[in-house]
Amino acid sequence: MSMAALLHRHLFGIKVDGREPIWYIDDQTVLYPAGHNTVIFNLEQRIQRFLPGTDKTEEITAIAVSPNKKFVAVAEKSDKGVITVFDLHSLKRRRLLTATDSLSKEFVSLAFSPDSKLLMAQGGAPDWSLTIWTWEKAKFVATIKTAASPNSAIYQCTFCPTDNNLICVTGNGVFKQLKLVDSNLKVLPNALNKREPQNYLCHTWLSEERVVMGTDTGDLLVVDSLELKAFIPRSPSDSNSIEAIVGFSKGIVTGSDDGSIAIYDKTDEKELYKRTKVFRIDNNAVKIRHLAVSHTEEQLVMATDNNQLYQFNLTNADIMKPDETNFDFLATSFHSGQITGVDTCVRKPLVATCGLDKSVRMWNYVDKTLELTKYFNEEAHSLALHPSGLHLLVGFSDKMRLLNVVMDDMRPFKEFAIKACRECKFSHGGHMFAAVNGNTINVFATYTCENLGNLRGHNGKVRSVCWSADDTKIVSCGMDGAVYEWNLKDFKRVGESVLKSCNYTCAVCTPDGKTSFAVGSDKKIKEITDSNIVKEYDLPGAVLCQVVLSHSGRMLFTATDTGSIQSWKFPLTNEVQDHQCHSRAVARMCMTHDDAHLFTVGEDGVLLMLDVRDKEIRAAKRDKELLPFSEEILVTKSDLEEKTALTTDLKLKVDELQLHNDYQLRLKDMNHQDKIKELTDKLTAEIEAEKARHEALLAEKNDMEMEYEERIKNMEERHLLSSQQMEAQYQHKIMAEVERYQQLLEEKELLNERWDEQNSLLVESHERLVQELTDEYEYKLQEEQLALQRVRDEKDDLLRELEETRRQVEEDADQEIEELKDKYEVKLSAEREQHLRLKGENGIMRKKFHAQLKEIEDGKDDNKQLMARQKELYHQISMLEKEIAGLKKEIRERDETIGDKEKRIYDLKKKNQELEKFKFVLDYKIKELKKQIEPRELEIADMKHQIKEMDQELERYHKTNSNLELTISDNKLKLEGQQQEILMQRGKCNDMGNKLKRYHNDLHAVIQYITEPKQLKEAVKALYQKHVQEPPQGAQVEQDIQKEYNRQRDYLEKTVESLKKKLSKDMDLHKTDSTRIMHENVALIKEINELRREIKALKQGGMRPPGGGATGKETPASGRATSSRMGVDPNKEIDMQREEIRRLRNRVDELEGVDRTRPTSREKLPPMDGFAEGPERIGTPGAP
C-alpha cells in the first residue's frame, strides 16, 4: 500500500481579480497569485517557487510585499478573512492574522509600513474596516471604518513611503488621509471636500506628501500637503477610466480599461504632470488591472483583465512609436478564461489544453514554454491528444475536428458532425478514438475516420470515457447515475452499475479493466468490481468532480469543486492527503505516460503541473528502460519548399551583404588610417607648442614668486604698526564704555523691579494665550517638522557641496593666503567694533522685549487679516490666471490671423507686380496694333460691300420666313381647336361612363324584384323615368357627325404633310445658300490674310520711296490705302468704319433672332488674323 506525494512544479496562468496582483522582488524575479498559490517566478532561469494557500480558505484576494523585500502578506477569503505572512527567503509562514471583530469575509487591500513592521489591511463589505497590526507580534494597533455606507466600496489603502503614521485610502466616493497617533487613527482634513465625490479607482504616493489618484472618468488629481495642487483632465477623445497607476523617477504611468498605458512626465507648469505618450496593447483592448516598475526602472510589467502578463521597456519609451509592437509577454500567454480540456501524449513532452477563450494550446512541460497557439471561431469543450503527439481531437460547439499538429500550426484534417462534444479520448494505441454525442458514444478509426460503432445505453449525458490498457473495453459514466463497461468486439455492454441518486462526473478503470473508480455529486469515491460497488469513501466539505488513475495502476488522485486535489492511499482506503491548488473547480486532470507528472486545469484558467513522488513506483520504473522523447514533427511539402526557397534567398542575401560589408570595412580602414595620420601630425605640432609655452610660464612664475615675497614683507611691517596704534585707541574707548555700562546696570535694576510687577499681571494672560496658541501651533509644528526634514536634506546636500568647495579652496590656498590675511584683519577690527556696539544694544533689546510681546498679539490679528486677504488673493490669482490663459489663446489666434493676412498681402503684392509687367507688355502690343489700323481700314471697306450683299440676301430670307411663320401660325390655331374638341369629347365620355355606372347600379336594384312582377314593373318605370329624359333620336345624325369629323381630320393631315414637305424644301434651299455664303466668306478671309501677310512683308523689307518701288508696280491694297489717307482724316474714317461695323453686327443679330428656323452651320469660319472672336471685340483689333 502506498500514497503518492504531490509537489508543485510549474503554473501556467495568473489570478488578476485581486488588488495589486503582481510585484517585483528584484529585477529578475516577480511575485503573483495563480490558482490558490502565490508564485515566485525567476525570469532568467524560468524557475517557479510556490507559497501554498491556507487550508479551508476559498481564494486569494490581495497581496503585499514589504519594502525591504523580505516578507509577503497574502490575504485569503474565509469566514473571517485570513492574512498569512511568509518569509521570502525560507518560504515559511511567519504569522497568521485575522480580524475577529470584522463582519467581512475578505480583505481587499494590504500594505506594509516603510519600516516593514506594521501591516495594514482594508476589510471588505459590509463594514469596510481598516485594521493595523504589529505583525511580528500579532499585536493589534488600531482600526477605523473607512466607508460612509455599506454600499460604498474601498479599493486601495497605502502607507506613505517615508512616514509610518501617514495613510491614504481611496474608493467609490471616498478619499481619506489618516494619521496614526497613539494607537488611534485620526482623519486629516480632506483636500477634496469642495469637489463632487468621484469614483477613485487607484492611487500612488510620489513623495512624503504627494498623492496622485485616478478616477473612472480618466482624470488625475494631485494632492500635496493636504491640498489639491493639480487637476489633470482626460483628453476629449479619451473616455476610458484609469484602473492602475504607478510612479517612477521621471513621472507616472497610468493604465486604462482599453488596454493602453499613458506616460506623464514632470513639468514646472500648473498641472505638475503632462501626458507625453500613449501606448496600446495590440489586439488586446482589455482592462489593465495593475502596473509594477522594476527597481532599476527599466521594465514595466502589467496584469490585464484577461489573465495576461505583459512587459514594457520603460527606458526606451522616449524613442518608441505608439503604432509599433511595444509589449511582450512576461513569460508566455495564458488562457483568458475557463480551461475545459487537457491531455498528454507518449512520444513527446507535450500537454494540450483548450478553453472557452476559443484557443487550443500546446505546452512543453520540460522547457516550461508554450509551443503552439491557435484561435478558432467556436468555443472548445473537450480535447484529446494522440499518443504520438502529431494529431489532436477537439470538440467545438459546432463540430468535432481532427487536427494535424505540424511544425508551427494546427491544421484541420477531418470534421465530424458532433456538436458540443464534452468528452473525447484516443485509445492507448492511438488507432481508435471515442467521442461523446449526447448520451451516445461514437467510436471511430483514427487513420480512416470510419465510424466503427456506436455505444447506446445511457439515459443522460455521458460525462466521462476511459479506455482499458489493451483497448478492448471502454468504461463510461453519465448524469443518469450509471457506470457502464463496454466490449468493443461486438460493441455491447458487459457490465453496469446504476445509482440514480448520484450524477457521475468522471470514471476510470484499472489497466486490466476489472475494477473501476467513479466520483459524482454524492461527495463519495466508489470502487466498482463486477458491476458492484465494493468500497466507497466520503470526502467531507466538497464534491468530488474528477478522478485519475496512474498508468501503473498504483496511484489514485481526485479533485473537488473547490479546487483542491487529493492523493488516496492505494489500494483504496479512507486515508487521503489534501493539496490546495486551484481557486475554482477543477475541470480536467491527466497524467503523463511515465506517471511522473500530474496536470490539472480549472475554471480559474490555470494549468498546474505537479510532480508525483512515490518510491515504489520509482524503483519499478528504474528497472524499465525509458525511451527518449521523439523530435520528429509534421511538415507539409508546400511549407518545406517555401522554407527551402526562403533559406536559399537568405543565403544569397547574406553573401551579398558580407561582400558589401567587407568592401565598406576596407574603405573605413583606409579613411581611419588617413585620419590617424593627420591627427598624429597635428597633435605632435600642438605638443611642441605647449612645451614652449610651459617653459615660458615656468619662468614667469619664478619672477612673480620673488616679487610677491618682497610685497608680503612690506605688508607685514605696515600691519604691525597699524595694529599697535589701534590697540591704544580702542583701550581708551573700552574704559569709557565700562563706565557707561555701570550706569546702565543701575538703570536695569530699577527697570527689573518695575518689570516684575508688570510680569505678574502678564503671566496670567500669557498662560491663557499659551494654551490657545499651543493648539493652534501644534499643527503648524508638524508642518514645520516636515519642512525641517526637507531643510535637513538640503543641508546634507549643501554639506557635500561644501566639502567639494573646501577641497578646491585648499588647492588654491597657497595663492590666496596673503589676500586672506588682509581681509581677516579688516574683519577682526570690524568684529571688535561690533562687540562693543552689541554690549550697548543689549539694554535696548531688553526694552524692546516688552514691545515685542505686544507686537506678537497685534501680529496675530494682522495674521488673521492677512490669511483672509491671502484667500482673496488666491481667488483673484486663479481668476486672473484663467483670464491670462484666455488672453494668451486670443493672442495666439490673432497672431495666426495676422500671419495669414500678411501672407495674403505678400501674395497680392507679388500678383500686382506680375500684372504690372503684363500691363507693360499689353501697352506695347497696343502701340504695335495701332500702327496696323490703316491697312485694316481697307479691309473694312471691302467687308462693308460684302455685308451689304449679305443684307439683301438676308432680307429675302426674312420675307420667306415670315410667310412660313404665317402658315405655321394658322396650322397651330387649327391644331389648338382640334385639341379643345378632343378635350370636350373626353369630358363627354367621362360623363357617359358615370351615367352608365349609375344605370348598372339601378338595374341591379331592379333585378332584385325579378320574382315579384308588380314591384318589378314599378321599378322598371322608375328606372325609365330616371334615365330617359328626352326621346331618343335616330342613329343617322351620329353617323353624319362621324363622317364630317373623319373628313376634316383627313384634310388637316394632308395639310400638315404638305407643310412639312414645303418646310423641308425651304430648309434645304437655305442650307445651300448658307453653305455658299460661308465658302465665299472663307475665300474673302483667306484673301484678307494674304494681303495682310504681304503688308507685313513690305514693312519688314522697308518703305519704298515716293517715286516708286523696285518693281515699279503698286498693289491694289497699297493704292487704296494711299487714296484713303489722301482723301479724309484717317481717325474720323476709322470711327465711321467702326460705327458701321457695329450697326451691321446689330442688324445681323436681329436677323438671326428672327430666323429661328435657319439651321446653324456645322463648320466655323477661320478666325481673322489680328481680330479677337466675338462681336463685342471687333472695334479693338488685336486686343488681348
Side-chain angles (χ1 to χ4, degrees):
M1 298 178 71
S2 64
M3 179 186 294
L6 296 176
L7 298 177
H8 289 68
R9 175 58 56 193
H10 205 85
L11 254 165
F12 297 97
I14 183 175
K15 186 178 184 297
V16 298
D17 52 358
R19 171 56 63 176
E20 299 181 359
I22 185 163
W23 294 78
Y24 266 104
I25 305 300
D26 54 47
D27 286 338
Q28 298 299 329
T29 307
V30 294
L31 180 144
Y32 57 87
H36 205 123
N37 305 273
T38 304
V39 181
I40 303 172
F41 183 34
N42 188 294
L43 300 177
E44 281 188 349
Q45 301 175 358
R46 305 188 71 82
I47 296 175
Q48 290 183 350
R49 297 184 297 164
F50 300 92
L51 302 175
T54 308
D55 292 338
K56 297 180 181 180
T57 58
E58 299 180 21
E59 59 180 347
I60 297 173
T61 57
I63 286 180
V65 176
S66 63
N68 58 13
K69 307 301 179 184
K70 293 182 179 179
F71 307 102
V72 58
V74 180
E76 296 172 278
K77 188 176 182 180
S78 65
D79 293 338
K80 286 293 183 180
V82 175
I83 300 175
T84 308
V85 182
F86 292 90
D87 190 323
L88 287 174
H89 298 289
S90 63
L91 303 184
K92 293 181 179 179
R93 286 185 173 91
R94 290 290 301 272
R95 191 65 62 192
L96 189 68
L97 304 173
T98 183
T100 56
D101 298 335
S102 176
L103 300 177
S104 174
K105 294 184 177 181
E106 60 180 343
F107 294 100
V108 297
S109 180
L110 299 177
F112 278 96
S113 62
D115 58 1
S116 303
K117 294 182 178 180
L118 299 179
L119 178 63
M120 176 171 57
Q122 174 62 60
D127 52 354
W128 301 103
S129 296
L130 181 71
T131 308
I132 300 177
W133 294 273
T134 304
W135 65 269
E136 291 181 343
K137 300 178 182 178
K139 181 180 178 182
F140 173 81
V141 177
T143 184
I144 190 174
K145 290 187 177 181
T146 52
S149 64
N151 296 327
S152 300
I154 304 298
Y155 303 130
Q156 189 178 4
C157 64
T158 55
F159 275 102
C160 174
T162 58
D163 189 352
N164 290 342
N165 300 322
L166 196 56
I167 298 166
C168 181
V169 178
T170 54
N172 188 0
V174 177
F175 169 72
K176 291 184 179 180
Q177 285 184 287
L178 310 171
K179 191 168 185 67
L180 183 61
V181 180
D182 298 332
S183 299
N184 290 316
L185 286 170
K186 180 182 178 181
V187 180
L188 299 179
N190 194 342
L192 306 179
N193 278 337
K194 297 180 180 180
R195 294 178 54 85
E196 289 291 331
Q198 287 184 270
N199 191 3
Y200 306 108
L201 298 177
C202 55
H203 73 268
T204 186
W205 290 86
L206 299 181
S207 65
E208 59 184 21
E209 293 184 350
R210 180 173 292 180
V211 182
V212 179
M213 292 169 292
T215 67
D216 60 346
T217 58
D219 302 326
L220 284 177
L221 289 86
V222 182
V223 176
D224 196 342
S225 301
L226 303 178
E227 293 182 2
L228 180 61
K229 293 293 185 181
F231 173 74
I232 307 173
R234 63 177 176 82
S235 174
S237 60
D238 184 10
S239 61
N240 302 304
S241 61
I242 296 178
E243 298 289 338
I245 185 170
V246 65
F248 68 114
S249 59
K250 295 182 180 179
I252 56 176
V253 183
T254 63
S256 302
D257 60 355
D258 63 342
S260 65
I261 64 169
I263 299 177
Y264 292 79
D265 289 342
K266 293 179 181 178
T267 64
D268 296 331
E269 299 177 0
K270 183 179 178 181
E271 288 81 7
L272 300 180
Y273 298 93
K274 182 179 181 181
R275 184 163 72 174
T276 56
K277 284 197 174 182
V278 177
F279 300 94
R280 299 183 185 277
I281 303 175
D282 297 334
N283 302 321
N284 197 7
V286 297
K287 183 189 298 183
I288 294 178
R289 284 282 189 174
H290 183 58
L291 299 172
V293 178
S294 62
H295 299 84
T296 58
E297 296 187 352
E298 293 180 356
Q299 298 293 331
L300 174 72
V301 66
M302 63 197 72
T304 61
D305 201 31
N306 60 347
N307 297 339
Q308 303 298 331
L309 289 176
Y310 289 96
Q311 194 171 0
F312 178 78
N313 193 340
L314 200 58
T315 56
N316 299 332
D318 296 336
I319 60 175
M320 288 181 179
K321 296 181 179 179
D323 54 352
E324 294 179 351
T325 303
N326 301 314
F327 295 88
D328 299 321
F329 287 107
L330 185 65
T332 59
S333 65
F334 305 133
H335 279 282
S336 59
Q338 177 182 345
I339 302 177
T340 56
V342 63
D343 199 6
T344 61
C345 61
V346 178
R347 298 293 297 123
K348 292 188 178 184
L350 298 177
V351 56
T353 59
C354 64
L356 298 183
D357 58 353
K358 302 179 182 179
S359 69
V360 178
R361 300 169 188 259
M362 298 284 289
W363 312 81
N364 189 317
Y365 58 82
V366 174
D367 299 334
K368 281 82 173 178
T369 57
L370 178 63
E371 294 279 339
L372 284 176
T373 302
K374 184 162 185 178
Y375 285 90
F376 295 87
N377 295 326
E378 299 291 335
E379 296 178 348
H381 299 284
S382 61
L383 174 142
L385 186 60
H386 194 270
S388 66
L390 301 177
H391 309 287
L392 195 64
L393 189 67
V394 185
F396 294 98
S397 298
D398 57 346
K399 293 179 181 179
M400 187 176 69
R401 293 178 174 87
L402 181 62
L403 310 175
N404 287 334
V405 182
V406 296
M407 181 171 59
D408 55 359
D409 195 9
M410 304 175 196
R411 299 186 178 175
F413 172 69
K414 177 68 175 177
E415 293 183 349
F416 302 91
I418 300 176
K419 293 184 178 180
C421 177
R422 300 288 177 176
E423 182 71 14
C424 57
K425 188 80 71 174
F426 277 102
S427 62
H428 291 89
H431 59 291
M432 292 185 293
F433 63 86
V436 173
N437 187 2
N439 55 7
T440 304
I441 303 172
N442 300 328
V443 181
F444 296 89
T446 302
Y447 300 107
T448 62
C449 298
E450 178 186 358
N451 187 0
L452 301 178
N454 299 322
L455 306 178
R456 295 185 175 88
H458 282 281
N459 295 325
K461 291 183 178 180
V462 179
R463 297 298 301 274
S464 179
V465 173
C466 180
W467 292 81
S468 63
D470 56 1
D471 295 335
T472 59
K473 294 180 181 179
I474 287 180
V475 174
S476 65
C477 68
M479 299 293 288
D480 55 353
V483 178
Y484 293 148
E485 182 181 347
W486 308 86
N487 190 338
L488 296 183
K489 291 182 180 179
D490 52 4
F491 295 96
K492 291 185 179 180
R493 188 167 62 204
V494 295
E496 63 179 22
S497 175
V498 180
L499 185 63
K500 295 292 186 179
S501 61
C502 177
N503 296 328
Y504 286 112
T505 55
C506 188
V508 294
C509 65
T510 55
D512 57 6
K514 294 181 179 179
T515 304
S516 301
F517 299 92
V519 295
S521 59
D522 60 353
K523 304 181 181 181
K524 295 179 180 180
I525 181 170
K526 300 175 181 64
E527 181 179 345
I528 302 172
T529 304
D530 297 332
S531 302
N532 295 319
I533 299 175
V534 179
K535 298 177 183 178
E536 62 178 5
Y537 294 103
D538 187 9
L539 186 69
V543 176
L544 297 173
C545 56
Q546 291 292 314
V547 61
V548 64
L549 185 66
S550 64
H551 295 84
S552 63
R554 298 182 181 179
M555 293 180 290
L556 184 68
F557 304 97
T558 58
T560 65
D561 60 349
T562 60
S564 62
I565 297 173
Q566 296 78 35
S567 175
W568 296 80
K569 196 168 185 177
F570 200 83
L572 188 62
T573 64
N574 60 352
E575 295 185 26
V576 62
Q577 187 176 0
D578 194 55
H579 302 270
Q580 294 289 337
C581 295
H582 293 270
S583 60
R584 300 282 189 276
V586 177
R588 290 285 191 275
M589 292 198 305
C590 68
M591 291 192 72
T592 56
H593 183 69
D594 58 357
D595 295 338
H597 304 290
L598 173 67
F599 295 97
T600 65
V601 296
E603 296 178 1
D604 54 1
V606 172
L607 168 63
L608 175 59
M609 174 182 173
L610 298 158
D611 284 349
V612 181
R613 303 291 174 88
D614 187 76
K615 293 181 180 179
E616 295 181 5
I617 296 175
R618 290 293 177 190
K621 287 290 182 181
R622 284 194 210 101
D623 299 337
K624 296 182 180 179
E625 184 180 355
L626 297 176
L627 290 175
F629 291 118
S630 67
E631 298 181 356
E632 292 80 7
I633 57 172
L634 288 179
V635 181
T636 61
K637 186 177 180 181
S638 60
D639 290 344
L640 190 60
E641 291 174 351
E642 184 180 352
K643 296 282 184 185
T644 305
L646 182 61
T647 304
T648 305
D649 294 341
L650 291 175
K651 284 182 179 178
L652 293 174
K653 288 182 180 179
V654 168
D655 295 338
E656 292 176 0
L657 290 172
Q658 191 170 1
L659 291 173
H660 180 70
N661 290 335
D662 292 340
Y663 176 69
Q664 293 293 331
L665 286 172
R666 286 196 295 271
L667 289 178
K668 288 183 179 180
D669 290 340
M670 294 173 64
N671 293 332
H672 287 317
Q673 290 176 1
D674 295 339
K675 289 181 180 179
I676 289 169
K677 187 176 180 181
E678 292 176 2
L679 291 171
T680 303
D681 297 339
K682 182 179 178 182
L683 292 173
T684 303
E686 289 180 355
I687 288 170
E688 295 295 333
E690 291 295 330
K691 284 181 179 179
R693 186 181 171 199
H694 174 69
E695 291 176 356
L697 290 172
L698 190 61
E700 185 179 354
K701 171 180 172 288
N702 293 331
D703 296 339
M704 292 178 70
E705 283 180 353
M706 295 176 65
E707 181 182 355
Y708 280 108
E709 285 177 358
E710 293 179 358
R711 289 185 181 180
I712 288 169
K713 290 179 181 178
N714 296 330
M715 292 174 69
E716 285 179 350
E717 293 175 355
R718 288 197 302 271
H719 174 66
L720 184 61
L721 293 173
S722 62
S723 61
Q724 291 175 357
Q725 293 175 358
M726 290 178 70
E727 282 181 3
Q729 181 181 358
Y730 281 107
Q731 188 67 29
H732 179 69
K733 288 183 179 181
I734 287 171
M735 295 303 294
E737 290 297 328
V738 167
E739 293 176 359
R740 185 165 172 260
Y741 173 72
Q742 293 295 334
Q743 294 174 0
L744 292 173
L745 192 60
E746 294 175 357
E747 293 178 359
K748 178 193 126 182
E749 291 177 355
L750 295 173
L751 290 172
N752 283 339
E753 292 176 358
R754 270 192 232 131
W755 182 82
D756 290 337
E757 295 176 358
Q758 295 176 358
N759 188 34
S760 60
L761 298 174
L762 290 172
V763 164
E764 297 178 0
S765 61
H766 178 67
E767 288 177 352
R768 290 194 300 271
L769 289 172
V770 165
Q771 185 62 32
E772 295 174 0
L773 290 172
T774 301
D775 298 334
E776 181 178 353
Y777 282 96
E778 184 180 4
Y779 181 70
K780 290 184 179 180
L781 181 60
Q782 295 175 359
E783 293 182 347
E784 290 298 329
Q785 287 175 352
L786 296 175
L788 181 61
Q789 183 64 33
R790 289 196 295 270
V791 171
R792 285 175 181 169
D793 296 338
E794 293 175 1
K795 173 192 165 189
D796 296 335
D797 296 336
L798 291 172
L799 286 174
R800 287 194 293 272
E801 293 177 5
L802 181 61
E803 290 294 330
E804 180 65 23
T805 305
R806 187 172 65 185
R807 185 180 64 79
Q808 295 176 1
V809 168
E810 287 174 355
E811 292 176 356
D812 300 336
D814 294 334
Q815 298 177 6
E816 298 177 359
I817 189 167
E818 294 304 325
E819 296 176 1
L820 290 172
K821 281 182 180 180
D822 296 337
K823 182 178 178 181
Y824 285 118
E825 287 296 334
V826 174
K827 277 190 177 182
L828 180 60
S829 61
E831 289 292 337
R832 286 173 179 170
E833 292 176 359
Q834 187 177 7
H835 176 68
L836 296 173
R837 187 173 63 253
L838 290 173
K839 285 182 178 179
E841 291 175 355
N842 185 24
I844 298 171
M845 293 302 294
R846 288 178 179 174
K847 292 179 182 179
K848 290 183 178 180
F849 174 75
H850 303 289
Q852 290 295 330
L853 290 175
K854 187 176 181 181
E855 289 177 3
I856 287 171
E857 296 177 357
D858 297 336
K860 290 177 182 177
D861 298 332
D862 295 338
N863 191 19
K864 292 180 181 179
Q865 296 176 0
L866 289 173
M867 289 296 290
R869 178 62 178 166
Q870 185 183 16
K871 291 181 181 179
E872 295 176 0
L873 290 175
Y874 277 145
H875 180 68
Q876 292 178 5
I877 288 168
S878 62
M879 297 298 292
L880 290 172
E881 285 176 349
K882 292 179 181 178
E883 291 178 3
I884 289 168
L887 291 173
K888 286 182 179 178
K889 184 177 180 183
E890 186 177 356
I891 288 169
R892 287 197 298 272
E893 293 174 355
R894 292 192 177 183
D895 289 340
E896 292 173 357
T897 306
I898 290 169
D900 295 337
K901 289 185 177 180
E902 288 177 351
K903 187 176 180 182
R904 186 178 177 189
I905 289 168
Y906 174 77
D907 295 336
L908 290 173
K909 286 181 178 179
K910 191 174 180 182
K911 189 174 181 182
N912 191 20
Q913 293 176 357
E914 293 176 356
L915 290 173
E916 287 178 355
K917 294 178 182 178
F918 190 61
K919 178 186 175 185
F920 177 78
V921 174
L922 291 177
D923 290 338
Y924 179 78
K925 286 185 178 181
I926 289 169
K927 291 179 182 179
E928 292 293 325
L929 291 171
K930 283 182 179 178
K931 295 177 182 179
Q932 299 176 6
I933 288 174
E934 292 177 358
R936 292 186 180 178
E937 288 174 352
L938 299 174
E939 296 172 2
I940 290 168
D942 295 336
M943 292 299 293
K944 280 182 180 180
H945 181 68
Q946 293 177 8
I947 289 168
K948 287 180 181 178
E949 292 178 355
M950 291 174 68
D951 285 339
Q952 294 175 0
E953 192 169 356
L954 286 172
E955 287 178 359
R956 291 196 301 272
Y957 289 153
H958 180 64
K959 291 178 182 179
T960 306
N961 288 335
S962 61
N963 295 330
L964 291 173
E965 285 177 357
L966 291 172
T967 307
I968 289 168
S969 61
D970 293 337
N971 290 333
K972 285 182 178 179
L973 291 172
K974 292 179 181 179
L975 184 61
E976 287 176 0
Q978 293 297 326
Q979 287 178 350
Q980 290 178 359
E981 184 68 20
I982 289 168
L983 291 174
M984 291 174 64
Q985 293 297 328
R986 285 178 180 173
K988 290 180 180 180
C989 290
N990 290 334
D991 294 338
M992 292 304 295
N994 293 331
K995 289 181 179 180
L996 186 61
K997 287 181 181 178
R998 290 197 298 271
Y999 181 77
H1000 285 168
N1001 293 334
D1002 295 337
L1003 184 61
H1004 182 269
V1006 170
I1007 294 301
Q1008 303 300 321
Y1009 304 108
I1010 192 67
T1011 57
E1012 298 177 6
K1014 291 183 179 180
Q1015 294 181 359
L1016 179 61
K1017 180 178 179 182
E1018 294 297 329
V1020 169
K1021 285 181 180 180
L1023 181 63
Y1024 177 82
Q1025 293 173 358
K1026 181 177 180 181
H1027 291 283
V1028 181
Q1029 299 176 357
E1030 294 180 357
Q1033 297 178 359
Q1036 187 65 29
V1037 179
E1038 294 179 357
Q1039 292 177 359
D1040 295 339
I1041 293 171
Q1042 185 66 33
K1043 287 179 181 180
E1044 180 63 23
Y1045 172 77
N1046 292 335
R1047 185 181 64 79
Q1048 291 181 2
R1049 186 180 66 182
D1050 294 337
Y1051 172 76
L1052 291 172
E1053 288 176 352
K1054 290 177 181 179
T1055 304
V1056 170
E1057 192 68 24
S1058 62
L1059 289 173
K1060 285 182 180 179
K1061 291 178 181 179
K1062 188 175 180 181
L1063 181 61
S1064 62
K1065 288 179 181 179
D1066 293 337
M1067 289 177 68
D1068 293 337
L1069 182 61
H1070 292 168
K1071 185 176 181 181
T1072 54
D1073 292 339
S1074 63
T1075 304
R1076 179 178 57 78
I1077 292 168
M1078 183 184 68
H1079 288 308
E1080 289 176 358
N1081 289 339
V1082 170
L1084 289 171
I1085 290 171
K1086 287 181 180 179
E1087 185 179 356
I1088 291 167
N1089 291 334
E1090 289 174 0
L1091 291 172
R1092 196 177 285 122
R1093 282 193 291 272
E1094 289 176 3
I1095 293 168
K1096 189 174 182 180
L1098 289 172
K1099 286 184 179 181
Q1100 291 176 355
M1103 299 298 293
R1104 290 186 302 171
T1111 59
K1113 293 181 182 180
E1114 184 179 353
T1115 60
S1118 63
R1120 287 194 296 273
T1122 304
S1123 62
S1124 64
R1125 284 194 299 270
M1126 293 174 63
V1128 295
D1129 186 6
N1131 292 329
K1132 291 182 179 180
E1133 188 173 356
I1134 287 169
D1135 294 334
M1136 292 170 62
Q1137 295 295 338
R1138 285 178 179 172
E1139 186 65 29
E1140 184 67 19
I1141 289 169
R1142 192 178 294 108
R1143 186 183 63 79
L1144 292 173
R1145 282 290 180 184
N1146 294 334
R1147 180 62 179 164
V1148 170
D1149 291 340
E1150 291 175 1
L1151 293 173
E1152 287 179 353
V1154 173
D1155 189 10
R1156 298 296 181 186
T1157 59
R1158 179 182 176 184
T1160 58
S1161 176
R1162 291 175 295 175
E1163 299 179 3
K1164 289 186 176 180
L1165 296 176
M1168 295 173 64
D1169 292 346
F1171 285 83
E1173 295 181 0
E1176 67 279 8
R1177 307 184 70 173
I1178 291 296
T1180 57

